[in-house]
Amino acid sequence: MTVFATYTRKALLATAGIAMAAGLAGPTSTALAADPTPTQAVTVAQTVAEQADKPTTEQLMPNGVPGDQSSFTPNAEQLDNARKIIDAGKDMNLPPRAWTIAIATALQESKLENLGHLGDRNDHDSQGLFQQRPSSGWGSVEQITDPDYSAKAFYKGLTQVDGWEDMPLTVAAQTVQVSAYPDHYAQWEKMAADIITDTTNK
């Protein structure tokens, strides 16, 4: 057995314990039956790393699930917008709780649709996923209809709220959004968490 194979086998044995605890036993135990190849070692390590990156329910909803939750089946475009919100949060090194708050906010404001101006149905000059208003200083129309920009603008507002990590989602969202319907964000908390869980499982 080569030095590399010995080292890799030891690494796999250590990783296997983590994988067993995470319910990943199958492929890992097969890989250990013989001397592992470099490809097998990398594959197992990647699987364990991905498992570790998946946020827990406690991270997503530390205060539990509020009553009277709403939900619907999002289409591919809506899910893509949710992924962009998550990616923006990751880019800013924000924890999963921030992603939940952001997606729940976008669910309430736009149902995760990147809305342009709706004419007579528009709320003032609100546009985009978060219905941000150019007249309120959120950015230009082009900026706030860019999912990455609008999500990061929301996150910047959120992180300026003292104690946002521990407060009820609807309070955190409302402090940023200043909506006429401050209690409506809470109904989307579980759906937001479910979208994040489903997205990070793929």
Side-chain angles (χ1 to χ4, degrees):
M1 183 181 295
T2 66
V3 173
F4 176 81
T6 301
Y7 173 81
T8 307
R9 186 175 180 83
K10 287 180 179 178
L12 271 174
L13 285 167
T15 304
I18 300 172
M20 289 284 193
L24 298 176
T28 304
S29 57
T30 302
L32 291 173
D35 287 343
T37 66
T39 300
Q40 288 172 321
V42 170
T43 300
V44 172
Q46 286 176 339
T47 301
V48 173
E50 288 169 2
Q51 186 77 12
D53 286 342
K54 294 172 185 173
T56 65
T57 300
E58 185 176 358
Q59 289 175 314
L60 297 170
M61 298 184 294
N63 301 318
V65 183
D68 299 324
Q69 292 293 290
S70 298
S71 67
F72 61 89
T73 302
N75 61 32
E77 181 180 356
Q78 289 165 316
L79 289 175
D80 185 57
N81 285 329
R83 290 186 189 98
K84 290 174 181 175
I85 293 172
I86 295 169
D87 288 342
K90 289 180 177 179
D91 285 348
M92 296 177 69
N93 295 315
L94 293 174
R97 178 59 174 168
W99 316 343
T100 306
I101 297 170
I103 291 177
T105 301
L107 282 165
Q108 170 59 29
E109 297 290 355
S110 68
K111 299 298 187 290
L112 286 172
E113 294 179 1
N114 194 16
L115 301 174
H117 200 285
L118 301 177
D120 293 340
R121 295 184 294 122
N122 219 63
D123 177 14
H124 301 284
D125 55 341
S126 303
Q127 295 188 54
L129 292 172
F130 294 88
Q131 289 295 279
Q132 294 157 333
R133 297 176 59 186
S135 63
S136 295
W138 284 101
S140 67
V141 170
E142 182 179 1
Q143 288 173 321
I144 62 178
T145 53
D146 174 349
D148 181 69
Y149 175 93
S150 64
K152 288 178 178 177
F154 175 83
Y155 284 130
K156 287 176 184 175
L158 179 65
T159 55
Q160 291 173 13
V161 178
D162 289 338
W164 66 267
E165 302 98 324
D166 302 315
M167 63 179 56
L169 180 147
T170 197
V171 176
Q174 169 63 7
T175 305
V176 178
Q177 296 293 102
V178 194
S179 168
Y181 306 98
D183 299 326
H184 287 198
Y185 299 106
Q187 66 183 309
W188 301 108
E189 186 158 357
K190 187 175 187 306
M191 181 173 176
D194 288 344
I195 288 174
I196 293 168
T197 299
D198 291 344
T199 299
T200 55
N201 278 344
K202 294 178 180 179

